[in-house]
Amino acid sequence: MPALQKKRPAPSQGGPKAKKPHLASQATIKEASDEGSEEDDKEDDVEGGEETEAEAPAEDEMTVDSALPKDPNAARESHKAQRVLQDQRKAAKPHSQLLANAKRVWSLAQRQKHVRELMVVVKGKVKDIVLKHDASRIIQTIVKYGGQKERDQIAGELMGHYKELAQSKYSKFLVTKLLRLCPTHRASILLEFQSHVLRLLLHREASSVLADTFELYANAYERSILLRDFYGKETALFSTSRGTDGEKEIAKKGLRGVLEGLEGERRKRVLAALKENLTTIFNNPDKGAITHAVVHRALWEYLTAVNGTEDESEREKLRREIFESCQDVLAEMVHTKDGSRVVREFIVYGTAKDRKHIIKVIKPHVERMCTDDEAQLVIFTALDVIDDTKLTAKSLVSDITSHASSLATSPQGRRSLFHLIVPRTRRHFTPAQIAVISETDSIRAQTSKKDSAVREGEIRKAASEGLLQFVAEQGAETARDTGGSLVVLEIMLYAEGDKSSALKALAEALASPYPSEDPARPHPIDLPHTSRMYKSLLQGGHFSHSTKAVVHTPAFSPSEFASVFLSTVGRDTTLSIAQGDGAFVVAELLQRISEEGSDQEKNTVRDWFDDVFVARVMDSEVKGKNLLIEKIKALS
């Protein structure tokens, strides 16, 4: 009867392992590890053979043998064999020796002296290797660190292959570098894209090459090369491209130059082709081409040409058709100059329903648009044109005021806040910016019914509550920033509504001990821009250099702020401020109390600023002490 085999329990069922029997000595282990391969084979036979109850000691010995360390050289030899095999496979590929030499020199090519050597290695073979990942980076190194001679040589070798290179995942970066660094070859490179521009714009890799070239590197003539494909095959067929100065001047005019001298059906065919090509772009929003400035320029040129159509019904029909084809993707256009002009044009000419739809499309992006120079113009136009101020207050104004704390930190964001309460003021808008904002005024007079002053007042009123709440909660901290102090000042002077909470918050910031105990956080009076803000509030308005007088605003009461100042800041801090950098602020406070304060407030101030204080100020070197003493004496 065969001996019973001892089954080993499964790892999940075996329970805790039994302790191994103590071996007699470590010498036995060493002898077992030193035996030859023949001995190992025997042990392997034992491990794989039948085990009985009587063979338990042999099992223990097997366990010790299996725990012996493996040969450390085995892994090293295996890796060496893999490297040899990999080298053999690389050597079998075309241009393997060329790439090996190029990589060797490339590792040194960060220095100018090695670029020439690298150029010698790849000369005449650039177009054969440039589509490879590593080889493309080698060529880019030559273009980046080499001289103009090497760059022009690379650009010359690749002539006729740029369309293919622009569509490659790796070589597209090389094409962008050559377009940027080789201006003499730029026009010829772009000419290779002709009749393929629309297809390349919808291509995942090539799209960014054309977009960067149009936006960053190309001049007016080179941009016209990319735009020409939008005008249709007829235009491409009959337009000459010999590159003469006269042709370049016509090309720089864009669509206007193409339409010069065209009448009737030919003009209609060009516009129809342009609209069809634009619609193709709009119908593929997932490709990303809608965001590119070249598309926005083509669309703006189309709208400009449509506005020049003599037949009014035809003009409205064409504008309506192009609006319906892109109305859902307008938010993708507002960040460029031409795209912003397009959306503003749609707002100005649109019906109430069109305007409502545009507001709905841009509403999720209001905060980002407020911080962009071009996109914020769309918001300004919407606020200036749309008669339904309840719609704009709910969809635009509320979103702007709710982000006032973040918008107040950037010049663009501050302009968005200023436009709500003091639109187009020369204090915060340059003449050029005001001129751009005013471009739609002539059309607004025809398409909007409400008076502009009434509309501005309604927008200001809708924004006031949120802005005053912002000042009450974060105004004191915001005013510590140079630009933020301007925002807080304009809100306090021109916003409408209850300002008591905001006045209290600003006064409490001054009530902290003066001078500040923390050198890293100075007192608001020690910040020049913040001190100037408090002075303007006590004056009740801005000082006009033309009239040499303060322009008071009916929406703000400086006497109310003076009263809050006295009750909140207190005697000791006010006197400390007067003897520090706040002498001019305190002088304005005394001026306001003297002119508009109550008898009780005047008596209180007289008690604070007694003869002892006056003598101490006269003996000091405080800036503005003469004006301060003059205001103190005026109280008595």
Side-chain angles (χ1 to χ4, degrees):
M1 183 176 179
L4 295 174
Q5 291 184 352
K6 180 180 177 182
K7 290 183 66 178
R8 295 184 181 179
S12 60
Q13 300 175 355
K17 293 182 179 180
K19 292 185 178 180
K20 297 177 182 179
H22 180 69
L23 299 180
S25 67
Q26 297 296 328
T28 306
I29 300 176
K30 188 175 187 307
E31 290 174 3
S33 63
D34 290 337
E35 293 177 358
S37 60
E38 186 175 341
E39 189 78 19
D40 293 338
D41 293 339
K42 292 179 181 179
E43 289 180 357
D44 292 339
D45 292 339
V46 171
E47 292 182 54
E50 296 181 348
E51 297 172 335
T52 62
E53 296 282 356
E55 294 173 343
E59 181 181 347
D60 292 335
E61 187 175 350
M62 175 202 69
T63 305
V64 174
D65 290 342
S66 64
L68 295 176
K70 296 182 179 180
D71 184 3
N73 295 324
R76 188 179 301 111
E77 294 297 329
S78 176
H79 291 160
K80 184 184 295 184
Q82 291 176 4
R83 283 195 295 270
V84 171
L85 182 61
Q86 187 178 20
D87 292 341
Q88 290 175 351
R89 289 174 178 171
K90 287 183 177 180
K93 294 182 179 180
H95 309 295
S96 60
Q97 188 59 41
L98 171 64
L99 290 176
N101 295 336
K103 288 180 181 179
R104 176 183 59 80
V105 182
W106 180 37
S107 61
L108 305 172
Q110 306 299 327
R111 298 181 181 180
Q112 183 74 25
K113 63 180 182 180
H114 295 289
V115 173
R116 294 188 182 88
E117 183 181 351
L118 182 58
M119 190 65 214
V120 171
V121 174
V122 302
K123 184 177 181 180
K125 300 291 184 180
V126 174
K127 60 179 178 295
D128 298 327
I129 65 174
V130 75
L131 292 175
K132 301 179 184 296
H133 169 56
D134 45 3
S136 178
R137 296 186 63 189
I138 293 174
I139 305 303
Q140 288 182 56
T141 300
I142 298 176
V143 175
K144 181 177 180 180
Y145 294 102
Q148 197 60 47
K149 179 181 177 182
E150 287 80 13
R151 294 169 181 168
D152 291 338
Q153 189 172 346
I154 294 290
E157 284 197 35
L158 295 176
M159 280 299 172
H161 300 82
Y162 284 106
K163 175 179 170 290
E164 178 187 3
L165 296 176
Q167 298 178 81
S168 169
K169 182 179 180 180
Y170 306 115
S171 59
K172 67 176 183 179
F173 301 107
L174 173 62
V175 177
T176 303
K177 277 188 171 62
L178 291 173
L179 286 167
R180 175 166 60 94
L181 300 174
C182 301
T184 56
H185 292 269
R186 190 179 297 145
S188 57
I189 294 174
L190 295 179
L191 285 172
E192 292 191 22
F193 298 149
Q194 269 200 329
S195 73
H196 306 287
V197 170
L198 294 175
R199 190 178 298 108
L200 292 176
L201 281 173
L202 295 174
H203 191 276
R204 182 177 60 181
E205 309 297 344
S207 181
S208 60
V209 176
L210 269 61
D212 289 347
T213 303
F214 187 88
E215 296 174 29
L216 303 176
Y217 314 130
N219 56 33
Y221 169 67
E222 291 159 354
R223 291 192 184 102
S224 71
I225 296 175
L226 295 177
L227 286 168
R228 201 174 299 166
D229 276 15
F230 282 91
Y231 307 150
K233 295 181 179 179
E234 182 178 348
T235 302
L237 182 63
F238 289 101
S239 62
T240 56
S241 57
R242 291 189 296 271
T244 63
D245 292 340
E247 291 173 354
K248 287 184 177 180
E249 289 302 319
I250 296 175
K252 289 178 183 179
K253 297 179 182 180
L255 182 61
R256 182 165 54 90
V258 172
L259 295 178
E260 285 181 355
L262 297 185
E263 296 181 359
E265 292 301 318
R266 283 196 65 187
R267 188 177 191 277
K268 290 181 179 180
R269 286 198 299 271
V270 172
L271 291 179
L274 176 53
K275 186 184 76 171
E276 182 182 352
N277 290 328
L278 288 171
T279 304
T280 302
I281 299 290
F282 299 147
N283 290 340
N284 292 275
D286 56 314
K287 302 295 184 179
I290 296 176
T291 62
H292 297 329
V294 60
V295 178
H296 305 166
R297 173 65 62 83
L299 179 56
W300 173 246
E301 288 185 340
Y302 178 80
L303 285 177
T304 304
V306 166
N307 291 336
T309 303
E310 296 180 358
D311 189 347
E312 183 176 354
S313 61
E314 179 70 13
R315 184 166 63 244
E316 293 298 327
K317 175 177 174 290
L318 294 175
R319 188 184 295 116
R320 165 63 49 188
E321 290 175 351
I322 195 66
F323 171 73
E324 290 177 350
S325 68
C326 65
Q327 59 182 344
D328 294 329
V329 294
L330 294 179
E332 306 291 337
M333 305 182 186
V334 296
H335 60 283
T336 66
K337 180 179 179 180
D338 294 310
S340 175
R341 294 160 79 181
V342 166
V343 180
R344 294 171 65 203
E345 191 88 353
F346 285 142
I347 292 175
V348 175
Y349 281 108
T351 63
K353 183 179 179 181
D354 297 338
R355 293 172 177 177
K356 186 175 182 179
H357 181 80
I358 294 173
I359 295 299
K360 180 181 177 181
V361 171
I362 67 175
K363 187 180 186 302
H365 312 282
V366 168
E367 182 184 5
R368 290 171 56 197
M369 291 174 64
C370 286
T371 57
D372 185 271
D373 286 315
E374 301 297 341
Q376 66 179 200
L377 295 175
V378 174
I379 295 179
F380 297 167
T381 300
L383 295 173
D384 291 346
V385 169
I386 298 177
D387 290 333
D388 187 358
T389 51
K390 289 185 178 180
L391 171 65
T392 53
K394 181 180 179 180
S395 301
L396 297 180
V397 175
S398 61
D399 284 355
I400 297 174
T401 56
S402 63
H403 296 98
S405 58
S406 60
L407 295 178
T409 59
S410 67
Q412 295 84 359
R414 286 194 289 271
R415 281 200 298 271
S416 300
L417 295 173
F418 291 142
H419 195 82
L420 297 178
I421 47 179
V422 283
R424 309 188 188 187
T425 175
R426 283 292 303 275
R427 288 191 302 274
H428 307 296
F429 294 86
T430 65
Q433 290 169 342
I434 295 174
V436 172
I437 297 172
S438 304
E439 287 176 348
T440 57
D441 286 355
S442 59
I443 308 171
R444 179 181 66 177
Q446 305 170 14
T447 59
S448 298
K449 300 177 182 179
K450 189 175 290 187
D451 183 79
S452 59
V454 175
R455 188 187 299 104
E456 289 176 6
E458 292 174 351
I459 294 296
R460 185 184 301 111
K461 184 177 181 180
S464 293
E465 182 179 356
L467 293 177
L468 288 174
Q469 183 180 355
F470 155 67
V471 174
E473 296 175 356
Q474 305 178 52
E477 187 64 30
T478 303
R480 299 182 68 87
D481 176 68
T482 305
S485 64
L486 300 176
V487 174
V488 173
L489 177 59
E490 297 295 354
I491 293 173
M492 295 304 297
L493 291 179
Y494 293 97
E496 302 174 4
D498 182 15
K499 301 179 180 179
S500 57
S501 299
L503 292 174
K504 182 73 172 177
L506 294 177
E508 287 176 348
L510 296 179
S512 59
Y514 184 89
S516 175
E517 298 174 355
D518 183 6
R521 185 178 174 82
H523 193 276
I525 289 297
D526 290 335
L527 299 172
H529 48 276
T530 311
S531 178
R532 194 178 306 114
M533 180 196 73
Y534 283 106
K535 181 173 178 287
S536 298
L537 289 175
L538 291 168
Q539 287 178 171
H542 294 283
F543 180 81
S544 174
H545 292 280
S546 58
T547 61
K548 304 298 181 183
V550 175
V551 180
H552 295 277
T553 62
F556 181 74
S557 172
S559 60
E560 182 183 355
F561 182 55
S563 300
V564 175
F565 189 108
L566 288 179
S567 61
T568 305
V569 179
R571 176 182 181 276
D572 294 340
T573 304
T574 302
L575 296 180
S576 299
I577 290 174
Q579 298 176 81
D581 292 338
F584 290 104
V585 176
V586 176
E588 287 297 332
L589 171 67
L590 298 178
Q591 175 76 17
R592 190 57 48 212
I593 295 297
S594 175
E595 294 180 357
E596 303 178 20
S598 64
D599 293 337
Q600 182 181 357
E601 290 173 343
K602 292 178 182 178
N603 292 331
T604 300
V605 171
R606 290 192 192 100
D607 293 339
W608 289 3
F609 297 91
D610 53 16
D611 294 339
V612 176
F613 176 83
V614 172
R616 190 160 59 246
V617 171
M618 292 182 66
D619 293 338
S620 67
E621 297 296 330
V622 174
K623 292 182 179 180
K625 67 177 182 178
N626 295 331
L627 179 63
L628 177 62
I629 293 172
E630 178 186 338
K631 300 301 180 182
I632 294 174
K633 291 180 178 180
L635 288 170
S636 56

